[in-house]
Amino acid sequence: MASFCPHCGNPSPDEARFCMTCGRERLPVAAVAPPAPPPPAYGPGSVPGPVPGPVQPSPVGAFFGRVFRGDWLSSAKAAAWPAGLLLVMAVALAIPSYGQDDEVVVGWSDRLRIALAMLLQGFGGGFEMKASGGSSPFGSDSGSGSGSGSGSGSSGGIFGDSGTDVMGAASLSLVPLTVTLLWIGALYLGARMLRTRGAGLEAAVRLSLLVTGLVLVLGLFAQPEIQGVEISSSPLLAALGALAISLAVTCGLLQRDDLAAWLAQRPGAQAAVRAFGTAVRALGAVVALCSLVGFVAYATTDDVDGTALLIALPILPNIGFAVLGLSWGAPVKFDVQGQFSMVGSSAESGSFGLSEIGDVWGNGAVAGALSLGAVCALTLGVWAARRSADRREQLLAAGFSLGLVLLFTGVSGVSAKLAGGLADWGGRGTSEFAPSVPDALLFGLLWVGAATFLGPYVLRLVGQQALVPSAPTAPPMPPAYGPGAGYAPGAPALPGVPQANPVVPPHPDVPDHPATVAAAPSAPYAVEPHTMHLGAAPGPVAPGVPPVPGADPAAERKRKVLIWTATLTAAFVIGGGATAGALLLKKNNDDSGQAQNKPPAASQSPTPQQDQQDQQNQQPSASATPSTSPSQSQSPSPSASQGGASLPTGFVLKQDPAGFSVGVMDGWKRRQAGSQIYYEAPTGGAYLQIGIVTNTPTTSYDNFLGLERKHLETPETNYRRGQLIQNTYQGRPGALWEFTHIPEPDEGSLRRHIIDQAFVAADGTEYAILAAGRADLWDASKDVVFSTATSTFTVN
């Protein structure tokens, strides 16, 4: 067998010692290695690279691999804290029956699920009720309307007549901040358990995932269906909110050391984080005080039982922010627009502020509220001054405090929406009760700005300054180790020389020698709280420095008390005076605007025979007992403007085919029965009726007297006159009639309130503008349906 020569590569017999081609000695056969096979060709001129090793995961993949391979049992124990808190609070809220003593409609399990749905709003959940199918509870509400001619009509249901299927929906938007804060505290306790075991960022992700899953399960459970009403808690939104909050809390706690090391290299970010922490601590103390004041004020009011107090507990911080805004001058505003079966038609908006507090509880309550505002503002200012390194950080902390106040003020309100029929409720509209954020911004700038300015001065009264020393404005002079010796900053320490500044004796002949300057003692930046307090005798600032001669502890104490009193008085005067001035200016502007927009009233011109006719009409029935005589009765007079008045919010101007235009509430449906035109609310609780009689033979006043006799002939209706007077409407003779009655006593209908303005136009046609609603809910000072109709009615 031939083998190859290691020198020339030619084959030679195995037994040949020398190569037959080159003549060189060959190696033994056992030592000769066969030549390596030629490399595989990947293409013309291609050179193969190294053989690839196993694929390594990306950093993100490696991180999640550690997450899923980690200790899930410890994370589950930590997640039990927030989940258990939610269940405990839900059980506590589900225990009361909420007035279901005789007949329990909503059982304990349903109440538990409803309570969970309400609590999940604390971190992003929702609360929405939907109903579909069945007959409308508001489909039939017959009522009689009296005008120029008699007539009666039945108002339709929400989306049709009685018996038709209805669909309704209602939603409640509320963030119970007590739940949010307690849930964050439970997360903090669970994360601390993991921190004691040396857990890192992977444990934070595991804990957040477990908490999110538990919230999602509870959200899916908190969706009961009670008598055809489905409740939705928006579980996905609640889970996303829980994930965001849990990641922020757990990552911040478990990575606190790494975050501190990262901030140490970035002074600007470190100052911002420290200022934010100061704002959070100060605002927490302020809101706790305001929540306590608000809860005590609420608990001492009338008709507040244990159930009402229990419901108020989840929204204690909401009450605290409302009280804080009120003490600074920011009112709580309310806005109700729409038509509701339980309340009737309503389009109201207003506010409750310091002026209303004075009307209800007196001027002492206003002074107490302003004092509370001064204490809260000074707390923010003093806390910012005490924990800030310099003036810039103090201003930053004050800005964070004001920003947090505005943020939580914006989310502390409550709003509700209703559309259609839902159980015993029905209607269409919105309502909102929330502190005014623009006013909170305006008055917050005044109070926080003044407190930020006074904070350092107040802090000096107790002998304290900032806990964190500020950066010196100029570098300190280096110590001198000998005549002419210098030490450059950053140079290595000399061998055998201690690092602390040594005390070098001054040069005897050179007054300005560096050693002489360095030997002078410098006052420390801060004084320890336990060594200097209000009223303490001043001691030496540094060793070897004698105390100030003539210092008297009693005089010093008296001076500090006077400064404290002057500071609080100045804060009260600045904040309270600015608040009172702004409120007074705003009130004057509102009053002037209302005076300009107020339409002129229709004049009343009673006739001499009016009292006699009224007395005769009262005699046929003893059940008709007018509250006042026609000459003494007063009512809101209709406007004399003909369509020129501005429409309130929620109203539209209707151009009716019958030849007139009138302002009615948006969403009211038109129905005509003969010469009577009805604009009815969707729920059937109220309506507006326009009666038209051509070529009327009598006056409006005589027509009303004849209709009143028919009511008196039917005692079952329990007719009661409010007023019946002659007046002048839009320059034409007219009459105003107001009364209450029960339209259908046999069917147990509620007492209805009727107010009717009639007049005879120049062509002899009589028009009657009538508004009807529930008598127990009627408020003449807040009526907008009738006043808007009479102020905008115009004959085309």
Side-chain angles (χ1 to χ4, degrees):
M1 181 177 181
S3 59
F4 297 91
C5 176
H7 304 289
C8 63
N10 292 320
S12 298
D14 293 339
E15 61 272 16
R17 181 178 179 183
F18 298 93
C19 180
M20 300 177 61
T21 303
C22 63
R24 297 182 182 181
E25 184 178 7
R26 300 172 57 198
L27 296 177
V29 177
V32 177
Y42 296 96
S46 62
V47 179
V51 179
V55 179
Q56 298 294 332
S58 64
V60 177
F63 172 76
F64 280 102
R66 295 192 300 272
V67 168
F68 290 105
R69 290 192 302 268
D71 186 7
W72 285 90
L73 181 60
S74 300
S75 300
K77 293 179 180 179
W81 285 87
L85 175 69
L86 283 178
L87 290 176
V88 169
M89 288 191 296
V91 169
L93 290 176
I95 290 176
S97 59
Y98 299 98
Q100 301 181 106
D101 298 331
D102 299 333
E103 181 182 0
V104 178
V105 179
V106 183
W108 183 85
S109 60
D110 291 331
R111 295 200 301 269
L112 176 65
R113 300 168 75 178
I114 293 175
L116 277 175
M118 297 290 292
L119 293 175
L120 290 180
Q121 292 185 105
F123 33 87
F127 189 84
E128 183 177 359
M129 297 183 293
K130 296 180 181 179
S132 61
S135 60
S136 170
F138 314 102
S140 175
D141 184 13
S142 58
S144 64
S146 302
S148 303
S150 62
S152 64
S154 174
S155 59
I158 301 170
F159 295 103
D161 296 331
S162 176
T164 59
D165 292 345
V166 297
M167 296 181 63
S171 63
L172 176 67
S173 177
L174 172 66
V175 180
L177 293 177
T178 302
V179 180
T180 307
L181 297 177
L182 290 178
W183 196 74
I184 291 176
L187 270 175
Y188 180 82
L189 293 177
R192 284 198 63 178
M193 293 175 52
L194 298 177
R195 179 179 172 83
T196 56
R197 301 181 181 181
L201 192 60
E202 296 84 358
V205 176
R206 284 194 297 270
L207 176 58
S208 301
L209 292 177
L210 287 174
V211 168
T212 303
L214 291 174
V215 168
L216 181 60
V217 171
L218 292 177
L220 294 174
F221 173 73
Q223 298 189 112
E225 181 177 352
I226 307 171
Q227 294 186 352
V229 179
E230 300 176 357
I231 297 178
S232 173
S233 60
S234 302
L236 291 179
L237 293 178
L240 290 177
L243 178 62
I245 296 176
S246 57
L247 280 176
V249 173
T250 55
C251 292
L253 179 61
L254 297 180
Q255 295 296 112
R256 184 171 59 184
D257 297 337
D258 295 340
L259 180 62
W262 183 84
L263 291 175
Q265 302 175 0
R266 295 164 178 83
Q270 187 178 24
V273 172
R274 189 165 55 242
F276 183 77
T278 300
V280 171
R281 291 179 175 88
L283 187 60
V286 167
V287 173
L289 175 61
C290 293
S291 300
L292 178 62
V293 172
F295 185 76
V296 171
Y298 175 70
T300 53
T301 55
D302 299 334
D303 301 331
V304 175
D305 53 3
T307 303
L309 294 177
L310 180 64
I311 296 177
L313 290 178
I315 56 172
L316 269 183
N318 304 60
I319 299 175
F321 280 104
V323 171
L324 177 61
L326 287 172
S327 65
W328 284 356
V332 177
K333 292 190 174 182
F334 61 89
D335 186 14
V336 180
Q337 301 291 338
Q339 177 74 19
F340 307 97
S341 61
M342 293 292 184
V343 214
S345 60
S346 180
E348 305 177 26
S349 61
S351 60
F352 185 84
L354 290 177
S355 58
E356 287 76 17
I357 290 177
D359 296 337
V360 176
W361 291 294
N363 295 330
V366 177
L370 291 176
S371 301
L372 177 63
V375 170
C376 294
L378 281 177
T379 300
L380 296 176
V382 170
W383 210 305
R386 183 174 181 269
R387 297 184 59 89
S388 299
D390 51 20
R391 194 67 171 176
R392 291 176 298 179
E393 186 175 333
Q394 181 187 356
L395 295 176
L396 191 60
F400 278 131
S401 300
L402 181 59
L404 290 174
V405 168
L406 297 179
L407 173 63
F408 287 105
T409 299
V411 302
S412 61
V414 56
S415 63
K417 294 182 181 180
L418 178 63
L422 195 66
D424 293 334
W425 289 82
R428 186 183 303 274
T430 61
S431 60
E432 182 177 3
F433 301 86
S436 175
V437 177
D439 291 329
L441 173 60
L442 171 63
F443 296 115
L445 286 173
L446 295 175
W447 285 94
V448 177
T452 306
F453 174 76
L454 295 175
Y457 300 99
V458 174
L459 195 62
R460 292 175 187 174
L461 297 178
V462 294
Q464 296 183 6
Q465 291 189 11
L467 298 180
V468 183
S470 60
T473 56
M477 182 171 292
Y481 298 99
Y487 177 75
L494 298 178
V497 180
Q499 297 300 317
N501 295 340
V503 180
V504 180
H507 199 280
D509 300 327
V510 183
D512 296 334
H513 192 273
T516 307
V517 179
S522 58
Y525 178 79
V527 180
E528 292 296 333
H530 65 277
T531 59
M532 177 68 71
H533 54 85
L534 186 63
V541 179
V545 179
V548 180
D552 186 6
E556 183 71 15
R557 185 183 303 109
K558 183 178 180 181
R559 183 183 68 86
K560 291 183 178 181
V561 170
L562 291 177
I563 295 178
W564 259 106
T565 305
T567 302
L568 290 174
T569 305
F572 183 84
V573 171
I574 293 174
T579 302
L583 290 175
L584 182 61
L585 180 61
K586 182 179 179 181
K587 183 177 181 181
N588 292 336
N589 293 336
D590 294 342
D591 294 341
S592 62
Q594 293 177 0
Q596 294 175 359
N597 296 329
K598 184 177 180 181
S603 61
Q604 300 177 359
S605 56
T607 60
Q609 298 86 3
Q610 180 176 344
D611 294 339
Q612 299 177 0
Q613 293 175 352
D614 290 340
Q615 293 176 1
Q616 295 175 0
N617 294 330
Q618 304 296 327
Q619 296 175 359
S621 175
S623 61
T625 56
S627 59
T628 57
S629 64
S631 60
Q632 297 175 347
S633 61
Q634 295 181 357
S635 67
S637 302
S639 172
S641 61
Q642 301 182 9
S646 59
L647 291 173
T649 304
F651 282 78
V652 294
L653 187 65
K654 295 288 187 179
Q655 299 292 338
D656 197 89
F660 62 87
S661 60
V662 64
V664 301
M665 291 198 70
D666 189 13
W668 285 27
K669 295 184 178 181
R670 183 185 185 275
R671 181 176 62 87
Q672 185 170 356
S675 61
Q676 309 293 321
I677 291 90
Y678 295 88
Y679 284 94
E680 299 170 333
T683 60
Y687 62 88
L688 182 69
Q689 176 184 346
I690 309 297
I692 304 176
V693 178
T694 57
N695 300 322
T696 176
T698 60
T699 63
S700 299
Y701 182 75
D702 294 335
N703 185 26
F704 282 162
L705 288 177
L707 293 173
E708 186 182 46
R709 294 190 189 97
K710 295 182 179 179
H711 282 288
L712 294 174
E713 292 173 358
T714 311
E716 294 81 7
T717 60
N718 197 9
Y719 166 82
R720 296 180 184 273
R721 181 205 285 186
Q723 60 178 334
L724 178 57
I725 57 177
Q726 287 181 326
N727 64 0
T728 301
Y729 177 78
Q730 296 188 3
R732 301 295 303 171
L736 181 65
W737 184 20
E738 184 176 5
F739 63 94
T740 62
H741 73 137
I742 301 177
E744 298 180 4
D746 298 337
E747 298 182 4
S749 58
L750 296 175
R751 175 173 289 274
R752 188 180 298 276
H753 178 275
I754 305 293
I755 183 169
D756 195 350
Q757 171 66 57
F759 73 101
V760 180
D763 60 353
T765 303
E766 184 182 30
Y767 296 90
I769 309 167
L770 180 147
R774 289 178 52 174
D776 56 341
L777 301 177
W778 182 268
D779 188 351
S781 62
K782 299 180 180 180
D783 170 54
V784 288
V785 175
F786 181 72
S787 60
T788 303
T790 54
S791 63
T792 58
F793 183 83
T794 305
V795 179
N796 297 335

